[in-house]
Amino acid sequence: MSNSLRAVKVLVALTVAGCLAACGKTGQPAATPAPSASPVKLTAGVQDIMRDMIDPAADFLWESVSTTETAQGVEEKQPRTDEEWAEVRKHALILAESANLLLLDGRHVAREGKQLEDHGTPGNLTAAESEQVIAADRATFIGFGQALHDVGVAFLNAAEERSPQGIMNAGETMDHVCEGCHLKFWYPGQVIPPLPDQAPEKK
């Protein structure tokens, strides 16, 4: 047997041995062990994400397209330059991904030792009460979070298409999503005072 043929046979044998060692006797790839714990470390509460990420992004998006009547006439506001549309896009991404952060398992409504900023307001839940309501109907909470994410994507698409009407449509949807979630999980007992023209007449 020539030296070259002997070298080829040795190489094949080593390759087969390595495959069997990696795949096991069945010839199937060995399963990768699952991680023992999530690598995500939660710091902020729902309140922090709402106040410092979602609210500023939502306000920016709401205000990016508007129509205002003044003494000088009607003022139309909308993004026009590349830089202005880039800002809308940035806030849309913040809104969409912040909605995902709300849904991470283990996220508390408020950080340990903290109360909600409006703690004690009549009709509003405490942080502990809000967590209880979320736990009792987490599927609905997740639904609202996913709806908010989808609104962020709608803003993102509108920004990339440079569509002021798309921004306005997404803003209207966002208003319904936010208010629906808040009424369910934050201030279900809120009493909205009547408008002046709706106030009961004095007898």
Side-chain angles (χ1 to χ4, degrees), residues 18-101:
C19 179
L20 290 176
C23 300
K25 294 182 180 180
T26 64
Q28 298 298 322
T32 302
S36 57
S38 171
V40 176
K41 296 182 178 180
L42 304 181
T43 300
V46 170
Q47 172 177 246
D48 301 306
I49 295 172
M50 289 295 304
R51 179 191 60 213
D52 299 327
M53 300 173 72
I54 291 177
D55 283 354
D59 288 343
F60 181 92
L61 293 166
W62 262 318
E63 296 168 4
S64 62
V65 177
S66 64
T67 301
T68 306
E69 293 187 11
T70 66
Q72 289 72 36
V74 177
E75 178 182 338
E76 299 282 352
K77 178 185 177 183
Q78 67 178 65
R80 301 184 188 279
T81 67
D82 291 347
E83 292 76 13
E84 289 172 343
W85 280 113
E87 281 296 304
V88 174
R89 183 181 185 278
K90 179 180 76 174
H91 285 84
L93 284 171
I94 292 173
L95 180 68
E97 293 299 339
S98 297
N100 286 329
L101 296 179

Side-chain angles (χ1 to χ4, degrees), residues 123-153:
N124 288 19
L125 301 178
T126 64
E129 290 169 340
S130 180
E131 287 203 9
Q132 290 174 359
V133 176
I134 291 172
D137 194 359
R138 185 157 180 81
T140 298
F141 181 75
I142 290 173
F144 277 120
Q146 292 174 336
L148 183 61
H149 169 271
D150 293 346
V151 168
V153 174

Side-chain angles (χ1 to χ4, degrees), residues 44-48 107-121 123-136 141 184-188:
V46 170
Q47 172 177 246
D48 301 306
R107 175 86 65 196
H108 292 291
V109 170
R111 286 183 293 146
E112 185 177 357
K114 301 292 184 180
Q115 294 181 339
L116 296 181
E117 292 179 345
D118 54 7
H119 180 83
T121 301
N124 288 19
L125 301 178
T126 64
E129 290 169 340
S130 180
E131 287 203 9
Q132 290 174 359
V133 176
I134 291 172
F141 181 75
K184 172 73 175 178
F185 298 107
W186 183 9
Y187 44 72

